[in-house]
Amino acid sequence: MTEDFDVVVLGLGGIGSGAAYWAARKGARVLGLERFELGHANGESHDHSRIIRRSYHAPNYVRLANEAYAAWAQLESDAAEQLVFKTGGLDIGPKDGAIALQGYADAMRDCDVPFEMLDAAEIRRRFPMFEIHDTVHAIFQEDGGIVAAQRATAAHQRAARQWGATLHDRTPVTAIHDAGGEITVEAAGRRCRTGKLVVAAGPWSDRALAHFGMHVPLEVTKEQVMYFTPRDPAPFELGRFPIWIWMDDPSFYGFPLFGEPAVKVTQDAGGKAIDPDTRGFEPDPDISARVSAFVQQHLPTAFGPEHLVKTCLYTLTPDRDFVIDRLPEHPNVALAIGAGHAFKFASLIGRILAELAIDGITPSDISAFSIDRPILKMEAPPKTYMV
Ligand SMILES: Cc1cc2nc3c(=O)[nH]c(=O)nc-3n(C[C@H](O)[C@H](O)[C@H](O)COP(=O)(O)OP(=O)(O)OC[C@H]3O[C@@H](n4cnc5c(N)ncnc54)[C@H](O)[C@@H]3O)c2cc1C
């Protein structure tokens, strides 16, 4: 039997769940298909928390971040659940660090986002948990905080169903045929027909693109988050300790206590390339050593016994920019790839994908994220993962 839908969403991680919600909210008959169980830990979107911030290196991202807060607020209202927790955000690092704060400050000024520049003395006064040299400076932006990641994905799924979407887990898509406007999707013995397809396959994006004879140079890496139990957790509680990013190479970032009785710290893009179908889940001792050394040096009172280590995947484009586009030869297919920093935008990107699929156009500026930009056509592109 063939079922008919207006929009089929392939992949119900952070972004695909957002797309299913926004497409159903627009009144479309939506089918979402997920190969694993909902909320699984095989992809990119599990665990309690992700950083959300207006502070970004370029104005187009700052504007998108402003829209992202609004998208989460809409979901919070529909799902009757708080999902964004403002803690304040600190972009902190040596003045000659690999990631210049100047570009972040310029981009926020461009978009009228208020922020403060802090010198080392002021950082120590406000956040004495940081052990830093006098050469360290920081940007503080008051809206930085946490998106409750796994709860947000579950809220998207719940709200999508409330708006009438059908979501199936343990249903891998194995075949897609686009007969010029009418798409047939096969998944675990199901066959459905749809006018529009949204692809949000995360680490499996290259497999999904292969259905359309397309390829983009992606690197999937195995990253990890580490939770440390501080002897005195009080200074690291939500409301007292900000989210922070260390703006150097290597770059680290971290969170107050949230979801676990421990402080979460991770290295950005420090993991090794893997195949998402054969990867292991064991921690990488090299990352563990780097993260532990950083915490011991710069957050010594947070350093305590390891409470948990979780591994998670990044799907990296060579320029670290997202892909959010319709496929050039299949304009009824919209796709997004999150480049390892997209959870904060998951609801917004979901909304944009729903707009691209249903209306063919979005009011959001996604001009930098096209799938046929020159670097994505290179076989061995230069890689810039520091942003
Ligand atoms: C350790 C770590 C820390 C991070 N920190 C931050 C942060 O602080 N802030 C931030 O904004 N971002 C952060 N990110 C990045 C962010 O989490 C990801 O960009 C985002 O979660 C990507 O979501 P996704 O939906 O594209 O991928 P996924 O969540 O992996 O979803 C893809 C889904 O597609 C499904 N799928 C694939 N192929 C098929 C198929 N054939 N049939 C059916 N289903 C299929 C998969 O099973 C999966 O569920 C972090 C990521 C990691 C790993």
Side-chain angles (χ1 to χ4, degrees), residues 278-299:
T278 55
R279 52 84 62 102
F281 287 80
E282 68 292 344
D284 177 333
D286 295 338
I287 304 181
S288 298
R290 285 193 292 270
V291 171
S292 298
F294 179 87
V295 177
Q296 265 177 301
Q297 186 181 355
H298 290 294
L299 287 166

mmCIF file with all atom_site columns, all heavy atoms in Angstrom, residues 278-299:
data_model
loop_
_atom_site.group_PDB
_atom_site.id
_atom_site.type_symbol
_atom_site.label_atom_id
_atom_site.label_alt_id
_atom_site.label_comp_id
_atom_site.label_asym_id
_atom_site.label_entity_id
_atom_site.label_seq_id
_atom_site.pdbx_PDB_ins_code
_atom_site.Cartn_x
_atom_site.Cartn_y
_atom_site.Cartn_z
_atom_site.occupancy
_atom_site.B_iso_or_equiv
_atom_site.pdbx_formal_charge
_atom_site.auth_seq_id
_atom_site.auth_comp_id
_atom_site.auth_asym_id
_atom_site.auth_atom_id
_atom_site.pdbx_PDB_model_num
ATOM 1   N N   . THR A 1 278 ? 30.120 2.370  11.626 1.00 0.00 ? 278 THR A N   1
ATOM 2   C CA  . THR A 1 278 ? 31.028 1.420  12.280 1.00 0.00 ? 278 THR A CA  1
ATOM 3   C C   . THR A 1 278 ? 31.738 2.038  13.482 1.00 0.00 ? 278 THR A C   1
ATOM 4   O O   . THR A 1 278 ? 32.583 1.393  14.094 1.00 0.00 ? 278 THR A O   1
ATOM 5   C CB  . THR A 1 278 ? 32.100 0.928  11.275 1.00 0.00 ? 278 THR A CB  1
ATOM 6   O OG1 . THR A 1 278 ? 32.768 2.071  10.729 1.00 0.00 ? 278 THR A OG1 1
ATOM 7   C CG2 . THR A 1 278 ? 31.493 0.113  10.148 1.00 0.00 ? 278 THR A CG2 1
ATOM 8   N N   . ARG A 1 279 ? 31.395 3.274  13.831 1.00 0.00 ? 279 ARG A N   1
ATOM 9   C CA  . ARG A 1 279 ? 32.085 3.955  14.926 1.00 0.00 ? 279 ARG A CA  1
ATOM 10  C C   . ARG A 1 279 ? 31.890 3.202  16.248 1.00 0.00 ? 279 ARG A C   1
ATOM 11  O O   . ARG A 1 279 ? 30.871 2.523  16.446 1.00 0.00 ? 279 ARG A O   1
ATOM 12  C CB  . ARG A 1 279 ? 31.559 5.391  15.076 1.00 0.00 ? 279 ARG A CB  1
ATOM 13  C CG  . ARG A 1 279 ? 30.044 5.558  15.201 1.00 0.00 ? 279 ARG A CG  1
ATOM 14  C CD  . ARG A 1 279 ? 29.383 5.406  16.503 1.00 0.00 ? 279 ARG A CD  1
ATOM 15  N NE  . ARG A 1 279 ? 29.692 6.253  17.571 1.00 0.00 ? 279 ARG A NE  1
ATOM 16  C CZ  . ARG A 1 279 ? 28.950 7.286  17.970 1.00 0.00 ? 279 ARG A CZ  1
ATOM 17  N NH1 . ARG A 1 279 ? 27.872 7.648  17.293 1.00 0.00 ? 279 ARG A NH1 1
ATOM 18  N NH2 . ARG A 1 279 ? 29.263 7.938  19.045 1.00 0.00 ? 279 ARG A NH2 1
ATOM 19  N N   . GLY A 1 280 ? 32.826 3.374  17.168 1.00 0.00 ? 280 GLY A N   1
ATOM 20  C CA  . GLY A 1 280 ? 32.617 2.862  18.517 1.00 0.00 ? 280 GLY A CA  1
ATOM 21  C C   . GLY A 1 280 ? 32.073 3.979  19.403 1.00 0.00 ? 280 GLY A C   1
ATOM 22  O O   . GLY A 1 280 ? 31.913 5.110  18.953 1.00 0.00 ? 280 GLY A O   1
ATOM 23  N N   . PHE A 1 281 ? 31.811 3.649  20.657 1.00 0.00 ? 281 PHE A N   1
ATOM 24  C CA  . PHE A 1 281 ? 31.293 4.654  21.596 1.00 0.00 ? 281 PHE A CA  1
ATOM 25  C C   . PHE A 1 281 ? 32.294 4.929  22.718 1.00 0.00 ? 281 PHE A C   1
ATOM 26  O O   . PHE A 1 281 ? 32.000 5.645  23.653 1.00 0.00 ? 281 PHE A O   1
ATOM 27  C CB  . PHE A 1 281 ? 29.942 4.198  22.164 1.00 0.00 ? 281 PHE A CB  1
ATOM 28  C CG  . PHE A 1 281 ? 28.835 4.300  21.145 1.00 0.00 ? 281 PHE A CG  1
ATOM 29  C CD1 . PHE A 1 281 ? 28.669 3.335  20.174 1.00 0.00 ? 281 PHE A CD1 1
ATOM 30  C CD2 . PHE A 1 281 ? 27.995 5.406  21.143 1.00 0.00 ? 281 PHE A CD2 1
ATOM 31  C CE1 . PHE A 1 281 ? 27.668 3.448  19.211 1.00 0.00 ? 281 PHE A CE1 1
ATOM 32  C CE2 . PHE A 1 281 ? 27.000 5.539  20.182 1.00 0.00 ? 281 PHE A CE2 1
ATOM 33  C CZ  . PHE A 1 281 ? 26.832 4.554  19.218 1.00 0.00 ? 281 PHE A CZ  1
ATOM 34  N N   . GLU A 1 282 ? 33.485 4.305  22.613 1.00 0.00 ? 282 GLU A N   1
ATOM 35  C CA  . GLU A 1 282 ? 34.463 4.475  23.688 1.00 0.00 ? 282 GLU A CA  1
ATOM 36  C C   . GLU A 1 282 ? 35.091 5.872  23.612 1.00 0.00 ? 282 GLU A C   1
ATOM 37  O O   . GLU A 1 282 ? 35.264 6.421  22.532 1.00 0.00 ? 282 GLU A O   1
ATOM 38  C CB  . GLU A 1 282 ? 35.544 3.384  23.609 1.00 0.00 ? 282 GLU A CB  1
ATOM 39  C CG  . GLU A 1 282 ? 36.472 3.445  22.418 1.00 0.00 ? 282 GLU A CG  1
ATOM 40  C CD  . GLU A 1 282 ? 35.834 3.152  21.053 1.00 0.00 ? 282 GLU A CD  1
ATOM 41  O OE1 . GLU A 1 282 ? 34.720 2.600  21.001 1.00 0.00 ? 282 GLU A OE1 1
ATOM 42  O OE2 . GLU A 1 282 ? 36.451 3.492  20.039 1.00 0.00 ? 282 GLU A OE2 1
ATOM 43  N N   . PRO A 1 283 ? 35.430 6.458  24.782 1.00 0.00 ? 283 PRO A N   1
ATOM 44  C CA  . PRO A 1 283 ? 36.080 7.773  24.792 1.00 0.00 ? 283 PRO A CA  1
ATOM 45  C C   . PRO A 1 283 ? 37.440 7.726  24.098 1.00 0.00 ? 283 PRO A C   1
ATOM 46  O O   . PRO A 1 283 ? 38.078 6.676  24.017 1.00 0.00 ? 283 PRO A O   1
ATOM 47  C CB  . PRO A 1 283 ? 36.249 8.078  26.276 1.00 0.00 ? 283 PRO A CB  1
ATOM 48  C CG  . PRO A 1 283 ? 35.342 7.159  26.991 1.00 0.00 ? 283 PRO A CG  1
ATOM 49  C CD  . PRO A 1 283 ? 35.185 5.941  26.129 1.00 0.00 ? 283 PRO A CD  1
ATOM 50  N N   . ASP A 1 284 ? 37.854 8.890  23.602 1.00 0.00 ? 284 ASP A N   1
ATOM 51  C CA  . ASP A 1 284 ? 39.165 9.035  22.972 1.00 0.00 ? 284 ASP A CA  1
ATOM 52  C C   . ASP A 1 284 ? 40.134 9.547  24.045 1.00 0.00 ? 284 ASP A C   1
ATOM 53  O O   . ASP A 1 284 ? 39.961 10.667 24.550 1.00 0.00 ? 284 ASP A O   1
ATOM 54  C CB  . ASP A 1 284 ? 39.020 10.046 21.816 1.00 0.00 ? 284 ASP A CB  1
ATOM 55  C CG  . ASP A 1 284 ? 40.331 10.345 21.116 1.00 0.00 ? 284 ASP A CG  1
ATOM 56  O OD1 . ASP A 1 284 ? 41.386 10.224 21.769 1.00 0.00 ? 284 ASP A OD1 1
ATOM 57  O OD2 . ASP A 1 284 ? 40.288 10.722 19.926 1.00 0.00 ? 284 ASP A OD2 1
ATOM 58  N N   . PRO A 1 285 ? 41.162 8.759  24.389 1.00 0.00 ? 285 PRO A N   1
ATOM 59  C CA  . PRO A 1 285 ? 42.061 9.178  25.488 1.00 0.00 ? 285 PRO A CA  1
ATOM 60  C C   . PRO A 1 285 ? 42.781 10.479 25.183 1.00 0.00 ? 285 PRO A C   1
ATOM 61  O O   . PRO A 1 285 ? 43.118 11.231 26.104 1.00 0.00 ? 285 PRO A O   1
ATOM 62  C CB  . PRO A 1 285 ? 43.049 8.007  25.613 1.00 0.00 ? 285 PRO A CB  1
ATOM 63  C CG  . PRO A 1 285 ? 42.863 7.169  24.393 1.00 0.00 ? 285 PRO A CG  1
ATOM 64  C CD  . PRO A 1 285 ? 41.511 7.459  23.823 1.00 0.00 ? 285 PRO A CD  1
ATOM 65  N N   . ASP A 1 286 ? 43.026 10.795 23.898 1.00 0.00 ? 286 ASP A N   1
ATOM 66  C CA  . ASP A 1 286 ? 43.723 12.056 23.568 1.00 0.00 ? 286 ASP A CA  1
ATOM 67  C C   . ASP A 1 286 ? 42.834 13.251 23.912 1.00 0.00 ? 286 ASP A C   1
ATOM 68  O O   . ASP A 1 286 ? 43.294 14.251 24.460 1.00 0.00 ? 286 ASP A O   1
ATOM 69  C CB  . ASP A 1 286 ? 44.076 12.107 22.071 1.00 0.00 ? 286 ASP A CB  1
ATOM 70  C CG  . ASP A 1 286 ? 45.080 11.030 21.701 1.00 0.00 ? 286 ASP A CG  1
ATOM 71  O OD1 . ASP A 1 286 ? 45.788 10.566 22.617 1.00 0.00 ? 286 ASP A OD1 1
ATOM 72  O OD2 . ASP A 1 286 ? 45.136 10.642 20.519 1.00 0.00 ? 286 ASP A OD2 1
ATOM 73  N N   . ILE A 1 287 ? 41.532 13.151 23.556 1.00 0.00 ? 287 ILE A N   1
ATOM 74  C CA  . ILE A 1 287 ? 40.634 14.265 23.900 1.00 0.00 ? 287 ILE A CA  1
ATOM 75  C C   . ILE A 1 287 ? 40.514 14.357 25.421 1.00 0.00 ? 287 ILE A C   1
ATOM 76  O O   . ILE A 1 287 ? 40.553 15.448 25.994 1.00 0.00 ? 287 ILE A O   1
ATOM 77  C CB  . ILE A 1 287 ? 39.230 14.089 23.276 1.00 0.00 ? 287 ILE A CB  1
ATOM 78  C CG1 . ILE A 1 287 ? 39.321 13.921 21.760 1.00 0.00 ? 287 ILE A CG1 1
ATOM 79  C CG2 . ILE A 1 287 ? 38.346 15.291 23.623 1.00 0.00 ? 287 ILE A CG2 1
ATOM 80  C CD1 . ILE A 1 287 ? 37.959 13.755 21.078 1.00 0.00 ? 287 ILE A CD1 1
ATOM 81  N N   . SER A 1 288 ? 40.361 13.211 26.076 1.00 0.00 ? 288 SER A N   1
ATOM 82  C CA  . SER A 1 288 ? 40.237 13.219 27.550 1.00 0.00 ? 288 SER A CA  1
ATOM 83  C C   . SER A 1 288 ? 41.419 13.938 28.177 1.00 0.00 ? 288 SER A C   1
ATOM 84  O O   . SER A 1 288 ? 41.254 14.753 29.096 1.00 0.00 ? 288 SER A O   1
ATOM 85  C CB  . SER A 1 288 ? 40.172 11.794 28.104 1.00 0.00 ? 288 SER A CB  1
ATOM 86  O OG  . SER A 1 288 ? 39.040 11.140 27.610 1.00 0.00 ? 288 SER A OG  1
ATOM 87  N N   . ALA A 1 289 ? 42.621 13.669 27.659 1.00 0.00 ? 289 ALA A N   1
ATOM 88  C CA  . ALA A 1 289 ? 43.822 14.290 28.234 1.00 0.00 ? 289 ALA A CA  1
ATOM 89  C C   . ALA A 1 289 ? 43.813 15.793 27.990 1.00 0.00 ? 289 ALA A C   1
ATOM 90  O O   . ALA A 1 289 ? 44.123 16.581 28.899 1.00 0.00 ? 289 ALA A O   1
ATOM 91  C CB  . ALA A 1 289 ? 45.072 13.661 27.615 1.00 0.00 ? 289 ALA A CB  1
ATOM 92  N N   . ARG A 1 290 ? 43.441 16.201 26.778 1.00 0.00 ? 290 ARG A N   1
ATOM 93  C CA  . ARG A 1 290 ? 43.446 17.649 26.478 1.00 0.00 ? 290 ARG A CA  1
ATOM 94  C C   . ARG A 1 290 ? 42.403 18.395 27.318 1.00 0.00 ? 290 ARG A C   1
ATOM 95  O O   . ARG A 1 290 ? 42.676 19.453 27.877 1.00 0.00 ? 290 ARG A O   1
ATOM 96  C CB  . ARG A 1 290 ? 43.176 17.883 24.978 1.00 0.00 ? 290 ARG A CB  1
ATOM 97  C CG  . ARG A 1 290 ? 44.361 17.568 24.073 1.00 0.00 ? 290 ARG A CG  1
ATOM 98  C CD  . ARG A 1 290 ? 44.132 18.105 22.672 1.00 0.00 ? 290 ARG A CD  1
ATOM 99  N NE  . ARG A 1 290 ? 43.068 17.436 21.949 1.00 0.00 ? 290 ARG A NE  1
ATOM 100 C CZ  . ARG A 1 290 ? 43.204 16.357 21.175 1.00 0.00 ? 290 ARG A CZ  1
ATOM 101 N NH1 . ARG A 1 290 ? 44.391 15.801 21.027 1.00 0.00 ? 290 ARG A NH1 1
ATOM 102 N NH2 . ARG A 1 290 ? 42.180 15.830 20.550 1.00 0.00 ? 290 ARG A NH2 1
ATOM 103 N N   . VAL A 1 291 ? 41.203 17.823 27.400 1.00 0.00 ? 291 VAL A N   1
ATOM 104 C CA  . VAL A 1 291 ? 40.128 18.501 28.146 1.00 0.00 ? 291 VAL A CA  1
ATOM 105 C C   . VAL A 1 291 ? 40.482 18.541 29.640 1.00 0.00 ? 291 VAL A C   1
ATOM 106 O O   . VAL A 1 291 ? 40.335 19.580 30.300 1.00 0.00 ? 291 VAL A O   1
ATOM 107 C CB  . VAL A 1 291 ? 38.767 17.805 27.900 1.00 0.00 ? 291 VAL A CB  1
ATOM 108 C CG1 . VAL A 1 291 ? 37.694 18.352 28.834 1.00 0.00 ? 291 VAL A CG1 1
ATOM 109 C CG2 . VAL A 1 291 ? 38.335 17.978 26.448 1.00 0.00 ? 291 VAL A CG2 1
ATOM 110 N N   . SER A 1 292 ? 40.971 17.432 30.165 1.00 0.00 ? 292 SER A N   1
ATOM 111 C CA  . SER A 1 292 ? 41.323 17.393 31.603 1.00 0.00 ? 292 SER A CA  1
ATOM 112 C C   . SER A 1 292 ? 42.408 18.415 31.912 1.00 0.00 ? 292 SER A C   1
ATOM 113 O O   . SER A 1 292 ? 42.335 19.129 32.925 1.00 0.00 ? 292 SER A O   1
ATOM 114 C CB  . SER A 1 292 ? 41.820 16.000 31.999 1.00 0.00 ? 292 SER A CB  1
ATOM 115 O OG  . SER A 1 292 ? 40.807 15.062 31.792 1.00 0.00 ? 292 SER A OG  1
ATOM 116 N N   . ALA A 1 293 ? 43.421 18.504 31.038 1.00 0.00 ? 293 ALA A N   1
ATOM 117 C CA  . ALA A 1 293 ? 44.521 19.458 31.279 1.00 0.00 ? 293 ALA A CA  1
ATOM 118 C C   . ALA A 1 293 ? 43.984 20.887 31.258 1.00 0.00 ? 293 ALA A C   1
ATOM 119 O O   . ALA A 1 293 ? 44.373 21.717 32.085 1.00 0.00 ? 293 ALA A O   1
ATOM 120 C CB  . ALA A 1 293 ? 45.610 19.280 30.221 1.00 0.00 ? 293 ALA A CB  1
ATOM 121 N N   . PHE A 1 294 ? 43.072 21.169 30.328 1.00 0.00 ? 294 PHE A N   1
ATOM 122 C CA  . PHE A 1 294 ? 42.514 22.522 30.250 1.00 0.00 ? 294 PHE A CA  1
ATOM 123 C C   . PHE A 1 294 ? 41.745 22.852 31.532 1.00 0.00 ? 294 PHE A C   1
ATOM 124 O O   . PHE A 1 294 ? 41.894 23.938 32.101 1.00 0.00 ? 294 PHE A O   1
ATOM 125 C CB  . PHE A 1 294 ? 41.594 22.664 29.027 1.00 0.00 ? 294 PHE A CB  1
ATOM 126 C CG  . PHE A 1 294 ? 40.979 24.024 28.936 1.00 0.00 ? 294 PHE A CG  1
ATOM 127 C CD1 . PHE A 1 294 ? 41.628 25.063 28.291 1.00 0.00 ? 294 PHE A CD1 1
ATOM 128 C CD2 . PHE A 1 294 ? 39.754 24.289 29.544 1.00 0.00 ? 294 PHE A CD2 1
ATOM 129 C CE1 . PHE A 1 294 ? 41.083 26.342 28.258 1.00 0.00 ? 294 PHE A CE1 1
ATOM 130 C CE2 . PHE A 1 294 ? 39.201 25.560 29.517 1.00 0.00 ? 294 PHE A CE2 1
ATOM 131 C CZ  . PHE A 1 294 ? 39.861 26.597 28.867 1.00 0.00 ? 294 PHE A CZ  1
ATOM 132 N N   . VAL A 1 295 ? 40.919 21.920 31.965 1.00 0.00 ? 295 VAL A N   1
ATOM 133 C CA  . VAL A 1 295 ? 40.092 22.180 33.159 1.00 0.00 ? 295 VAL A CA  1
ATOM 134 C C   . VAL A 1 295 ? 40.992 22.363 34.384 1.00 0.00 ? 295 VAL A C   1
ATOM 135 O O   . VAL A 1 295 ? 40.788 23.288 35.182 1.00 0.00 ? 295 VAL A O   1
ATOM 136 C CB  . VAL A 1 295 ? 39.050 21.052 33.368 1.00 0.00 ? 295 VAL A CB  1
ATOM 137 C CG1 . VAL A 1 295 ? 38.252 21.283 34.649 1.00 0.00 ? 295 VAL A CG1 1
ATOM 138 C CG2 . VAL A 1 295 ? 38.108 20.983 32.173 1.00 0.00 ? 295 VAL A CG2 1
ATOM 139 N N   . GLN A 1 296 ? 42.006 21.513 34.501 1.00 0.00 ? 296 GLN A N   1
ATOM 140 C CA  . GLN A 1 296 ? 42.927 21.650 35.636 1.00 0.00 ? 296 GLN A CA  1
ATOM 141 C C   . GLN A 1 296 ? 43.600 23.017 35.653 1.00 0.00 ? 296 GLN A C   1
ATOM 142 O O   . GLN A 1 296 ? 43.764 23.636 36.696 1.00 0.00 ? 296 GLN A O   1
ATOM 143 C CB  . GLN A 1 296 ? 44.014 20.577 35.555 1.00 0.00 ? 296 GLN A CB  1
ATOM 144 C CG  . GLN A 1 296 ? 43.678 19.352 36.368 1.00 0.00 ? 296 GLN A CG  1
ATOM 145 C CD  . GLN A 1 296 ? 44.738 18.291 36.212 1.00 0.00 ? 296 GLN A CD  1
ATOM 146 O OE1 . GLN A 1 296 ? 45.009 17.837 35.099 1.00 0.00 ? 296 GLN A OE1 1
ATOM 147 N NE2 . GLN A 1 296 ? 45.337 17.899 37.323 1.00 0.00 ? 296 GLN A NE2 1
ATOM 148 N N   . GLN A 1 297 ? 43.962 23.500 34.440 1.00 0.00 ? 297 GLN A N   1
ATOM 149 C CA  . GLN A 1 297 ? 44.685 24.769 34.360 1.00 0.00 ? 297 GLN A CA  1
ATOM 150 C C   . GLN A 1 297 ? 43.760 25.986 34.553 1.00 0.00 ? 297 GLN A C   1
ATOM 151 O O   . GLN A 1 297 ? 44.086 26.910 35.274 1.00 0.00 ? 297 GLN A O   1
ATOM 152 C CB  . GLN A 1 297 ? 45.389 24.868 32.999 1.00 0.00 ? 297 GLN A CB  1
ATOM 153 C CG  . GLN A 1 297 ? 46.281 26.091 32.905 1.00 0.00 ? 297 GLN A CG  1
ATOM 154 C CD  . GLN A 1 297 ? 46.961 26.218 31.537 1.00 0.00 ? 297 GLN A CD  1
ATOM 155 O OE1 . GLN A 1 297 ? 46.847 25.336 30.680 1.00 0.00 ? 297 GLN A OE1 1
ATOM 156 N NE2 . GLN A 1 297 ? 47.649 27.327 31.339 1.00 0.00 ? 297 GLN A NE2 1
ATOM 157 N N   . HIS A 1 298 ? 42.611 25.963 33.884 1.00 0.00 ? 298 HIS A N   1
ATOM 158 C CA  . HIS A 1 298 ? 41.813 27.189 33.826 1.00 0.00 ? 298 HIS A CA  1
ATOM 159 C C   . HIS A 1 298 ? 40.542 27.173 34.688 1.00 0.00 ? 298 HIS A C   1
ATOM 160 O O   . HIS A 1 298 ? 39.967 28.227 34.933 1.00 0.00 ? 298 HIS A O   1
ATOM 161 C CB  . HIS A 1 298 ? 41.436 27.506 32.372 1.00 0.00 ? 298 HIS A CB  1
ATOM 162 C CG  . HIS A 1 298 ? 42.618 27.932 31.550 1.00 0.00 ? 298 HIS A CG  1
ATOM 163 N ND1 . HIS A 1 298 ? 43.312 29.097 31.779 1.00 0.00 ? 298 HIS A ND1 1
ATOM 164 C CD2 . HIS A 1 298 ? 43.254 27.332 30.514 1.00 0.00 ? 298 HIS A CD2 1
ATOM 165 C CE1 . HIS A 1 298 ? 44.314 29.212 30.920 1.00 0.00 ? 298 HIS A CE1 1
ATOM 166 N NE2 . HIS A 1 298 ? 44.308 28.142 30.142 1.00 0.00 ? 298 HIS A NE2 1
ATOM 167 N N   . LEU A 1 299 ? 40.096 25.988 35.084 1.00 0.00 ? 299 LEU A N   1
ATOM 168 C CA  . LEU A 1 299 ? 38.917 25.905 35.966 1.00 0.00 ? 299 LEU A CA  1
ATOM 169 C C   . LEU A 1 299 ? 39.230 24.918 37.089 1.00 0.00 ? 299 LEU A C   1
ATOM 170 O O   . LEU A 1 299 ? 38.528 23.912 37.269 1.00 0.00 ? 299 LEU A O   1
ATOM 171 C CB  . LEU A 1 299 ? 37.695 25.430 35.165 1.00 0.00 ? 299 LEU A CB  1
ATOM 172 C CG  . LEU A 1 299 ? 37.078 26.437 34.192 1.00 0.00 ? 299 LEU A CG  1
ATOM 173 C CD1 . LEU A 1 299 ? 36.111 25.745 33.235 1.00 0.00 ? 299 LEU A CD1 1
ATOM 174 C CD2 . LEU A 1 299 ? 36.336 27.544 34.957 1.00 0.00 ? 299 LEU A CD2 1
#
